[in-house]
Amino acid sequence: MTVNKPPRSPRSRRTKHRLAADAGLLAVAAAFILPLAWVVLSSFDPEADLRVRLPGSLTLDNYDKVLTPEITFTPLLNSLLLCGGGTLLTVACAALAAYPLSRYRSRLNRPFMLTILFATSLPITAIMVPVYALFVQVDLIDTMQGTIFFFAASQLPFAIWLMKNFMDGVPKELEEAAWTDGASSFQSLLRIVLPLMGPGVAVVTVFSFVMMWGNFFVPFMLLLTPDQMPASVSINDFFGNKGTVVYGQLAAFSILYSTPVILLYVLVSRRLGGGFALGGAVKG
């Protein structure tokens, strides 16, 4: 005699799926938490290695050794100059380029946007050789301004794409009211469009700055003077010959290196979560 098992209830199936999803999320979280825990713990460990462990004795010696002008302060200042200048140039150019793409209809808009999308997929290593040769010809090699220009040019395609999509969410009727009062297109962009799309500007700013801040290859190729190297390149100095690495100092420098990006995100987090408060702005 065969005994039929009762079918599982939908509630038990949902519980099983939820537990499986939670287990997957915990595994992903562990993949992110373990490296972060190693960096934090090793920065206070005088005998740090590749293991994630509690330090036998907490010390600030690793920070004392890296907090020098040659190791930390000068590279971080160079990074702020390069990434800050590149981000400002990227956001300004992206806003000016996205405005006509968002406000004026043309048969060339779609091909231009597809070209921009294609430009975002080009690997940076594929164009560095001709860029290096060009910079040598125009005497921009080993200059901060030349590296800033290339940083901005490399981030501009995706910044334009993002900026244009955010700008589409601002009603054109608000600009038309300003034009009626005698404002120019440039004035309406500065005084109406950009303030209303503050979250979009914040997204482009953070994305551009973070991508530039972690870029190793571009400044390594375009800058030759050690005093001009940013922190993304100088961190390579902690990796010595024959595989010797000063792990404690590397972890301490990594904490200091991550601080500006964290501070930037904290400063713009309100704008990121603010949304587009345009409700009721357009009547009729």
Side-chain angles (χ1 to χ4, degrees), residues 53-82:
R53 64 179 184 180
L54 292 175
S57 60
L58 295 177
T59 179
L60 296 176
D61 290 343
N62 293 325
Y63 288 95
D64 290 336
K65 292 177 180 178
V66 300
L67 284 174
T68 62
E70 296 80 9
I71 297 178
T72 300
F73 297 129
T74 299
L76 282 179
L77 179 60
N78 294 335
S79 293
L80 290 174
L81 292 176
L82 289 173

Side-chain angles (χ1 to χ4, degrees), residues 52 86 146 235 275:
V52 180
I235 196 174

